[in-house]
């Protein structure tokens, strides 16, 4: 583990196995400098234990940066449960996993991620209080996707304003890839602002509905990133921003909810050099984690969640302005801002010790 490129001085990495339930899992705590490490629990059929470890290391580091830039007093962590989500999530396995989370004594707070459901988190809450994103209880935060959509929308307006001098979306050509929980809400909002929508989804029902209800043009998912448009909004899978996209796509702005949009880290600089304004994914899609963090605090306050989500637009504007002033790629600027906050907290911790 120490030799993989994804290891970044992670504070603690725990492997969990339970012969009785068949559970095999990894919990990675990248940093607790700003507070307990909050991050999702993913269930996935990895090719190997090494692949699962690398994913946990990479994703937990990403959560440190995301939580820091969202202004949360939380560090970054992530857990992966190895196995097919259809069979690896038995109640016995989830209880065993929750026991491991509990033994971390609040240093890690788990939430729903790919391959998991809210019902799984509810089940774990029978064993540990250190999970969030549950469906019941006084602090239950519910569906995070409206908050994610709202944050992306505000960041998108800030990015359009930074690129054109105005955040008016009337008649802007906007391509939304993925019309799921977040993408659909965004598409509705963008249409209401007067944008002309191009949409794609592998789910035919969703694109057909968008054509009928939002007057959207349907485009094949492979073609959409390369259509001439003002704003590309990735809301499906990661890795859509390739060097080819950066160098050839007739697109001015990228701002969407999908995680890990850059296919490789060098695409950040390639987008900047090509004059495409990219709003860093982990900055703009933090609305969901802000909502879950409110539950983790023990007292869900909808007003404070709203204020923190609205701040995403202002943070995006700050990142874009700094990138322009310093002529630096936007992803690099966002990383530096997040790191400055984390380093400040580490320094403070060292002083107190
Ligand atoms: P979702 O599963 O509800 O929707 C994803 C949509 O993308 C589905 O409609 C699916 O059919 C479509 N899709 C899948 N593969 C596709 C492809 N190749 N081309 C076009 N469409 C495709 O997910 P969601 O909750 O809307 O999240 C969307 C993205 O945003 C994901 O990357 C997720 O990790 C990220 N994200 C979501 C949240 C949240 O609050 N839900 C928070 C942060 C980040």
């Amino acid at each position: 583990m120490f030799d993989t490129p994804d290891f970044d001085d992670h504070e603690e990495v725990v492997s969990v196995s339970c012969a009785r339930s068949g559970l095999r899992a990894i919990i990675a705590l990248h940093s607790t400098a700003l507070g307990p490490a909050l991050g999702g629990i993913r269930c996935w059929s990895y090719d190997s234990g090494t692949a699962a470890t690398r994913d946990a290391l990479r994703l937990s580091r990403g959560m440190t940066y995301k939580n820091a830039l969202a202004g949360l007093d939380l560090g970054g962590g992530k857990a992966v449960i190895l196995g097919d989500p259809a069979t690896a999530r038995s109640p016995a396995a989830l209880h065993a996993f929750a026991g491991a989370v509990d033994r971390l004594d609040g240093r890690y707070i788990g939430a729903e991620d790919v391959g998991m459901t809210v019902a799984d988190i509810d089940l774990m809450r029978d064993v540990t209080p250190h999970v969030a994103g549950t469906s019941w209880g006084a602090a239950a935060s519910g569906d995070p996707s409206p908050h994610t959509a709202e944050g992306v929308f505000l960041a998108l307006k800030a990015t359009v304003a930074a690129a054109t001098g105005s955040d008016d979306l009337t008649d802007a050509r906007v391509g939304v890839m993925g019309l799921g929980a977040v993408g659909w809400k965004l598409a509705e909002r963008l249409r209401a602002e007067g944008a002309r929508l191009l949409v794609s989804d592998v789910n035919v029902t969703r694109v057909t509905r968008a054509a009928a209800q939002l007057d959207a043009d349907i485009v094949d998912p492979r073609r959409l990133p390369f259509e001439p448009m003002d704003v590309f909004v990735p809301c499906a899978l990661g890795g859509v921003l390739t060097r080819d996209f950066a160098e050839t796509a007739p697109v001015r702005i990228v701002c969407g909810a999908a995680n890990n949009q850059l296919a490789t880290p060098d695409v950040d600089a390639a987008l900047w050099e090509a004059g495409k304004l990219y709003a860093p994914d982990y900055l703009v899609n933090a609305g969901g984690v802000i909502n879950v963090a409110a539950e983790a605090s023990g007292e869900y306050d909808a007003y404070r969640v709203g204020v923190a989500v609205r701040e995403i637009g202002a943070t995006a504007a700050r990142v874009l302005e700094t990138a322009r002033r310093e002529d630096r790629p936007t992803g690099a600027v966002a990383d530096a801002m997040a790191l400055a906050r984390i380093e400040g907290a580490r320094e403070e911790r060292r002083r107190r010790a």
Side-chain angles (χ1 to χ4, degrees):
M1 181 186 70
F2 296 120
D3 298 330
T4 81
D6 299 297
F7 182 72
D8 177 46
D9 284 330
H10 287 66
E11 286 179 17
E12 195 170 347
V13 181
V14 179
S15 66
V16 190
S17 72
C18 168
R20 194 175 59 81
S21 65
L23 171 76
R24 293 177 76 200
I26 294 159
I27 307 172
L29 280 65
H30 175 250
S31 166
T32 57
L34 290 169
L38 173 76
I41 304 158
R42 177 168 292 195
C43 183
W44 195 253
S45 309
Y46 291 97
D47 289 339
S48 65
T50 308
T53 306
R54 290 191 63 171
D55 212 27
L57 292 175
R58 188 176 58 84
L59 294 168
S60 59
R61 179 175 181 275
M63 287 309 299
T64 299
Y65 281 71
K66 181 187 279 211
N67 293 343
L69 208 55
L72 299 169
D73 291 328
L74 290 164
K78 199 89 182 187
V80 296
I81 294 178
L82 289 72
D84 183 343
T87 52
R89 293 153 47 237
S90 67
L94 295 178
H95 277 159
F97 177 79
V101 171
D102 202 56
R103 287 191 291 281
L104 290 168
D105 209 18
R107 294 198 300 290
Y108 171 69
I109 302 168
E112 182 197 348
D113 197 66
V114 175
M116 300 287 291
T117 66
V118 172
D120 294 336
I121 305 297
D122 284 347
L123 216 129
M124 290 183 196
R125 234 248 304 260
D126 294 341
V127 176
T128 179
H130 306 302
V131 287
T134 54
S135 68
W136 57 274
S141 57
D143 181 4
S145 63
H147 306 278
T148 304
E150 174 72 8
V152 177
F153 176 74
L154 296 170
L156 189 150
K157 296 269 278 184
T159 314
V160 170
T164 68
S166 157
D167 70 357
D168 187 3
L169 292 171
T170 312
D171 288 334
R173 270 171 74 84
V174 181
V176 182
M177 179 182 246
L179 294 169
V182 180
W184 180 266
K185 290 181 190 75
L186 259 173
E188 280 183 322
R189 195 75 189 274
L190 293 163
R191 182 64 196 135
E193 291 266 317
R196 300 193 163 277
L197 298 180
L198 310 173
V199 294
S200 62
D201 197 299
V202 289
N203 181 317
V204 177
T205 314
R206 290 184 183 162
V207 278
T208 312
R209 189 155 65 106
Q213 294 180 10
L214 306 174
D215 198 18
D217 288 338
I218 301 171
V219 182
D220 180 276
R222 277 162 309 202
R223 268 190 36 221
L224 182 67
F226 297 93
E227 285 289 307
M229 58 189 152
D230 299 298
V231 192
F232 176 41
V233 186
C235 290
L237 309 173
V240 281
L241 306 180
T242 57
R243 274 204 87 91
D244 189 25
F245 172 86
E247 286 159 10
T248 66
V251 173
R252 202 164 174 197
I253 293 162
V254 181
C255 180
N259 279 312
N260 304 317
Q261 290 170 30
L262 301 174
T264 47
D266 58 301
V267 175
D268 182 32
L271 289 166
W272 184 252
E273 277 152 27
K276 294 183 170 66
L277 205 51
Y278 160 63
D281 49 13
Y282 71 84
L283 187 179
V284 309
N285 72 15
V289 79
I290 288 171
N291 191 57
V292 167
E295 175 175 338
S297 76
E299 210 176 313
Y300 185 82
D301 181 335
Y303 175 76
R304 285 173 64 177
V305 169
V307 170
V309 171
R310 274 194 294 282
E311 197 55 35
I312 291 174
T315 308
R318 229 172 30 248
V319 165
L320 300 169
E321 171 52 21
T322 308
R324 187 196 61 76
R325 208 176 48 243
E326 299 178 358
D327 190 16
R328 274 203 301 154
T330 51
V333 170
D335 284 357
M337 278 188 186
L339 198 59
R341 197 171 164 234
I342 298 156
E343 283 303 329
R346 283 185 183 143
E347 190 52 44
E348 177 67 23
R349 198 185 254 187
R350 277 195 288 271
R351 248 204 322 273
R352 284 210 198 125

